[in-house]
Amino acid sequence: MTTPSPAPRPGAPAAQPATAPSPGGSSAGRVRRVLVARLDGAGDVVLAGPAVRAIAAAAEVTLLCGPAGAAAGRLLPGVADVLTWACPWVLADPPPVRGADVEGFVATVAAGGFDAAVVLTSFHQSPLPLALLLRLAGVRSISGASVDYPGALLDVRLRPGEDLDEDQPEPERMLAIARAAGFPPPPGDDGALAVLPPPDVTDLLPAGPYVVVHPGAAAAARQWPAEAARELVDLLAGTGRRVVVTGGPGERELTARVAGRDGIDLGGRTDLAQLTGVLAGADAVVVGNTAAAHLAAAVGTPVVSLFAPVVPAVRWRPYRVAQVLLGDQSAPCRDTRATRCPVPGHPCLAGVTATDVRHALDRLVGARPAEVPA
């Protein structure tokens, strides 16, 4: 249940309702430069793409990202520049709060001369700490979604659970915040995920069709057991399918183990843009709830989603792409937001077999983009 907002303190401006003037409605002149904040991981930044494009249709967008999201931010259409800040209330391994760091951040934002800011958050995050710093930086119009009373920190506020539905896909939640700020989707934009055209990666890939297996995830609770992924690679290779195994620089040991002798191991050999190219050329991608799933959706490649229910699938499953969702969505870990599985044996994903995934791939390969198998 959402707690009603208290009355404002005497002399304090009340938060505005969830409607906003059109960009440029301010007496200070038309909005020209907007800071769009999404301070967490690469996947969350990719999911912010439709909101970013809506804002970029009316203003120049600088995207404010955490260190793990900056590379993804540079892949989004509509982004003119990217600022990176290790935010101490968002990162899983946060830096200490230091006055000099905060003052430096405020100074950087102030130097940007932003007319407005749109703070994009998930249900468990508050825009208010960042809004306070943006106020100190002189940003004159700030929009976000907040359960808590924002006082003078937000000019445009959506109230989660009241005028903002929480049980909707993350891209739609963020697009709703952008729309309330006065930035509706431009005509002809279908609201799907998108990235800039990927680089040529043919030198990394096998000749002919292939499937990608991406075994890693930012949180262990969202990762399919490596033994099952290895069995899948062996199974697919035995049926004549070429398999490419992908992962980041810190996942080389995992990708080598999963690829074995039959898979092509690209662990640590691609940056995020190159990974997008690898995903774009695949028949399908087998991946957990991690950034590669959203990049695959952004390039229209079908996804076998090995989805641990520690967060709701309705919010974070691959968005608007042909997919098969696997994993016990009613497992005891449901909605815990755990980064390490709290249930012995990791039953939500350990119960998914290599044969289950192979059958899902058989259903997906060749599916038209509009088809989304259950």
Side-chain angles (χ1 to χ4, degrees):
M1 178 183 296
T2 303
T3 303
S5 299
R9 302 181 313 278
Q16 297 298 310
T19 56
S22 61
S26 159
S27 60
R30 181 171 178 80
V31 170
R32 296 180 300 275
R33 303 196 70 210
V34 178
L35 184 70
V36 181
R38 184 72 216 206
L39 283 165
D40 22 27
D44 296 297
V45 171
V46 174
L47 293 174
V52 167
R53 296 198 306 272
I55 298 166
E60 180 182 291
V61 168
T62 293
L63 191 59
L64 174 62
C65 299
R74 296 185 181 97
L75 298 180
L76 295 184
V79 173
D81 195 13
V82 174
L83 290 180
T84 304
W85 187 48
C87 178
W89 61 85
V90 171
L91 299 185
D93 185 18
V97 179
R98 296 189 177 97
D101 295 338
V102 173
E103 291 169 5
F105 171 74
V106 170
T108 297
V109 174
F114 299 106
D115 303 299
V118 180
V119 183
L120 303 177
T121 51
S122 296
F123 76 99
H124 58 280
Q125 298 168 328
S126 171
L128 300 186
L130 180 60
L132 174 62
L133 301 186
L134 298 178
R135 278 284 185 247
L136 294 175
V139 179
R140 60 182 172 82
S141 177
I142 305 172
S143 304
S146 179
V147 172
D148 298 317
Y149 170 63
L153 299 183
L154 294 180
D155 300 282
V156 177
R157 174 199 180 192
L158 286 176
R159 298 167 177 83
E162 296 183 25
D163 50 26
L164 179 63
D165 181 12
E166 290 289 40
D167 286 322
Q168 63 178 319
E170 280 288 288
E172 295 175 17
R173 184 186 200 275
M174 289 186 274
L175 191 56
I177 297 171
R179 185 183 288 109
F183 301 99
D189 192 315
D190 64 1
L193 304 185
V195 290
L196 297 173
D200 184 3
V201 291
T202 52
D203 59 320
L204 299 174
L205 299 172
Y210 61 93
V211 167
V212 168
V213 174
H214 189 92
R222 302 179 189 182
Q223 187 171 312
W224 195 35
E227 295 79 9
R230 170 63 183 270
E231 183 181 347
L232 174 66
V233 171
D234 292 343
L235 182 61
L236 295 177
T239 63
R241 275 197 173 129
R242 299 174 182 86
V243 183
V244 173
V245 181
T246 56
E251 297 172 325
R252 288 190 177 98
E253 183 177 344
L254 172 64
T255 60
R257 179 180 174 190
V258 169
R261 292 180 299 178
D262 296 317
I264 297 171
D265 181 11
L266 294 186
R269 295 178 57 194
T270 62
D271 60 21
L272 209 61
Q274 290 170 316
L275 174 60
T276 301
V278 172
L279 299 173
D283 286 339
V285 179
V286 178
V287 62
N289 178 21
T290 195
H294 305 306
L295 289 172
V299 296
T301 299
V303 177
V304 176
S305 176
L306 297 158
F307 199 98
V310 290
V311 294
V314 68
R315 300 176 190 175
W316 277 282
R317 71 188 296 168
Y319 187 61
R320 290 174 59 174
V321 69
Q323 64 189 262
V324 175
L325 190 81
L326 298 177
D328 181 2
Q329 300 305 299
S330 62
C333 64
R334 180 177 180 176
D335 296 338
T336 61
R337 290 171 47 207
T339 57
R340 294 192 175 276
C341 184
V343 183
H346 198 24
C348 67
L349 290 182
V352 178
T353 69
T355 300
D356 294 332
V357 176
R358 192 193 104 180
H359 289 160
L361 283 168
D362 289 342
R363 294 170 61 192
L364 279 177
V365 173
R368 296 189 300 276
E371 293 177 338
V372 183

